[in-house]
Amino acid sequence: MTTRILIIEDETTIAQLERDYFELNGFFADLCHTGNEGLHLALNEDYSLIVVDLQLPGMNGFELCRQIRKNKEVPILIVSAKNEEIDKIRAFNLGADDYITKPFSPSELVARAKAHLMRYKRLMGKQETVQNAEIHIRGLVIDKSARRVYVRNQEVVFTTREFNLLEFLASHPNRVFSKNELFERIWGMDSNGDIATVTVHVRKLREKLELDSSNPQFIETVWGAGYRFSI
């Protein structure tokens, strides 16, 4: 099945160049030229990767990235003439996976896209040997093979990292893991940040799992030691 890519770029020449290089490498690419149209396509069509310019008519690329990441776990590559470090930091904080500044090498863009597609495929657990199993704990159901989570009979959407962290903790109940241990287990060699991201992800998990995130019943803080998934 051909991999579908969405290119959201208001400069027609650049958009067509990107599309041509992707299609030469066996991908199928859709083009759109405004942020609003791009968001509609991103949320309603099935794309394997999305390329986003930051300076778009209507909704800008930052907001577009935030909205896509809020609703979908798909690789997002920023291609922009904005080359200030603050723009790159903002894009990464909003969920972008990569940032390429213009002018750029189309071959490099395709190479980076391929790398991110491979990484996401691995993280999403699409290997043929995926184990079919579910975890049931007090109204929480974690479907490991389908990578779906149900809280009190309602499906709740988690990002790849959030799901991996939740699955790991729930698979080792009542055991305390330090932030360093969790960082190494979940982020591993893909990570370039610091362990503060563990705290951020635990907070996000609590917001989605708990009736009262300030008084968590699933993921407990063990002061001075780390976190424990309580059953």
Side-chain angles (χ1 to χ4, degrees):
M1 184 176 179
T2 303
T3 301
R4 296 182 68 199
I5 290 176
L6 176 61
I7 298 171
I8 310 171
E9 167 65 65
D10 65 327
E11 295 187 48
T12 303
T13 302
I14 293 177
Q16 291 175 344
L17 176 65
E18 293 175 351
R19 180 184 61 189
D20 290 345
Y21 267 80
F22 277 119
E23 292 185 346
L24 282 171
N25 283 270
F27 299 99
F28 178 83
D30 285 338
L31 301 182
C32 65
H33 306 293
T34 70
N36 292 329
E37 180 187 5
L39 180 62
H40 176 78
L41 288 172
L43 298 186
N44 291 282
E45 299 290 337
D46 186 18
Y47 292 104
S48 299
L49 181 138
I50 301 174
V51 179
V52 179
D53 183 27
L54 291 181
Q55 296 174 302
L56 294 166
M59 181 182 298
N60 66 46
F62 290 120
E63 179 62 17
L64 182 60
C65 184
R66 188 182 72 83
Q67 291 290 340
I68 294 172
R69 181 59 70 235
K70 180 180 176 182
N71 292 277
K72 283 194 172 184
E73 188 66 21
V74 59
I76 301 174
L77 275 62
I78 302 295
V79 179
S80 176
K82 297 170 72 68
N83 60 4
E84 295 295 327
E85 183 178 4
I86 187 64
D87 295 314
K88 297 177 182 180
I89 293 172
R90 184 181 178 191
F92 286 127
N93 285 339
L94 290 172
D97 293 276
D98 210 339
Y99 195 112
I100 303 173
T101 55
K102 300 176 182 177
F104 63 94
S105 163
S107 297
E108 181 184 356
L109 172 63
V110 172
R112 291 198 189 191
K114 288 180 178 179
H116 286 291
L117 286 167
M118 291 177 63
R119 183 172 68 88
Y120 263 72
K121 183 176 181 179
R122 184 178 74 250
L123 291 175
M124 292 299 290
K126 292 184 179 178
Q127 299 90 340
E128 295 179 357
T129 57
V130 173
Q131 180 182 2
N132 183 14
E134 291 185 352
I135 299 173
H136 294 256
I137 303 174
R138 301 196 316 275
L140 170 65
V141 178
I142 304 172
D143 187 334
K144 298 169 70 174
S145 59
R147 296 183 67 86
R148 292 189 171 188
V149 179
Y150 301 87
V151 181
R152 294 175 287 278
N153 297 319
Q154 297 292 320
E155 183 173 3
V156 179
V157 177
F158 291 80
T159 67
T160 298
R161 296 291 196 196
E162 290 169 357
F163 182 91
N164 291 346
L165 179 59
L166 174 61
E167 180 189 6
F168 178 77
L169 288 170
S171 297
H172 302 83
N174 295 326
R175 178 178 168 184
V176 178
F177 291 93
S178 70
K179 293 178 184 178
N180 282 315
E181 287 179 302
L182 292 173
F183 186 76
E184 181 179 351
R185 298 263 191 157
I186 305 303
W187 281 261
M189 296 302 295
D190 290 327
S191 60
N192 292 310
D194 57 49
I195 62 171
T197 191
V198 176
T199 303
V200 173
H201 279 72
V202 168
R203 175 175 55 79
K204 291 179 178 178
L205 289 182
R206 286 171 172 167
E207 290 172 353
K208 295 180 178 182
L209 294 173
E210 306 284 357
L211 289 171
D212 179 6
S213 60
S214 63
N215 184 30
Q217 302 301 305
F218 288 108
I219 303 176
E220 300 177 341
T221 298
V222 180
W223 296 108
Y227 297 105
R228 171 178 58 210
F229 195 96
S230 176
I231 61 172

